[in-house]
Amino acid sequence: MTTPDPGQVAGLDPKAIAAATAETTKLVNAAKSGRFSISGEALEQLRKALSDMVTRVDGLTGSTAALDQAPQLGSHPYGHAVAYHDLRAASESTGSLRSVLGQFRDLLAQADEALAHAGGAYRGAESAAVDLHSVRRAGDLA
């Protein structure tokens, strides 16, 4: 097991979030270009799962609002220095809980965008196939 960097929350790896975001960007691009599509039932289930996860992340983000305030550690210079360090580590620095939660929420939104485009691509391909079948069938009847 690896030890997180100072200021990083265990289990929240900003490098993993960045890598997942890069892959999700590829998925969005593939869906926009029509190289990725997904059918209705699977699409609904995946988008619901993403929506539920966004709700959970928003709840976590709200419950961590206290991290946006420096802890009260006295009026002496050392207390101020430690409070400032704690504030930065908890909510401002790369790898902090607040930072990674925000990046993860963005990732979820990007994945939902990819699914929305993929669903549109699937419906477009399905519609085109039905139209082609109708044209061919009409030609057979003529």
Side-chain angles (χ1 to χ4, degrees), residues 11-100:
L12 295 174
D13 183 357
K15 291 177 186 171
I17 296 286
T21 299
E23 292 304 314
T24 305
T25 299
K26 291 177 187 176
L27 190 62
V28 170
N29 293 337
K32 284 181 176 179
S33 69
R35 295 175 301 167
F36 167 59
S37 65
I38 188 167
S39 66
E41 186 177 325
L43 175 66
E44 289 175 30
Q45 291 174 3
L46 287 170
R47 291 192 78 191
K48 168 96 172 75
L50 287 172
S51 175
D52 291 348
M53 195 60 169
V54 166
T55 299
R56 291 179 67 190
V57 169
D58 287 346
L60 286 171
T61 301
S63 68
T64 61
L67 297 175
D68 290 336
Q69 299 174 10
Q72 300 300 311
L73 301 176
S75 59
H76 47 82
Y78 180 73
H80 287 281
V82 171
Y84 175 74
H85 172 72
D86 286 353
L87 173 65
R88 285 188 35 87
S91 65
E92 297 173 5
S93 65
T94 302
S96 70
L97 176 63
R98 301 277 289 174
S99 171
V100 175

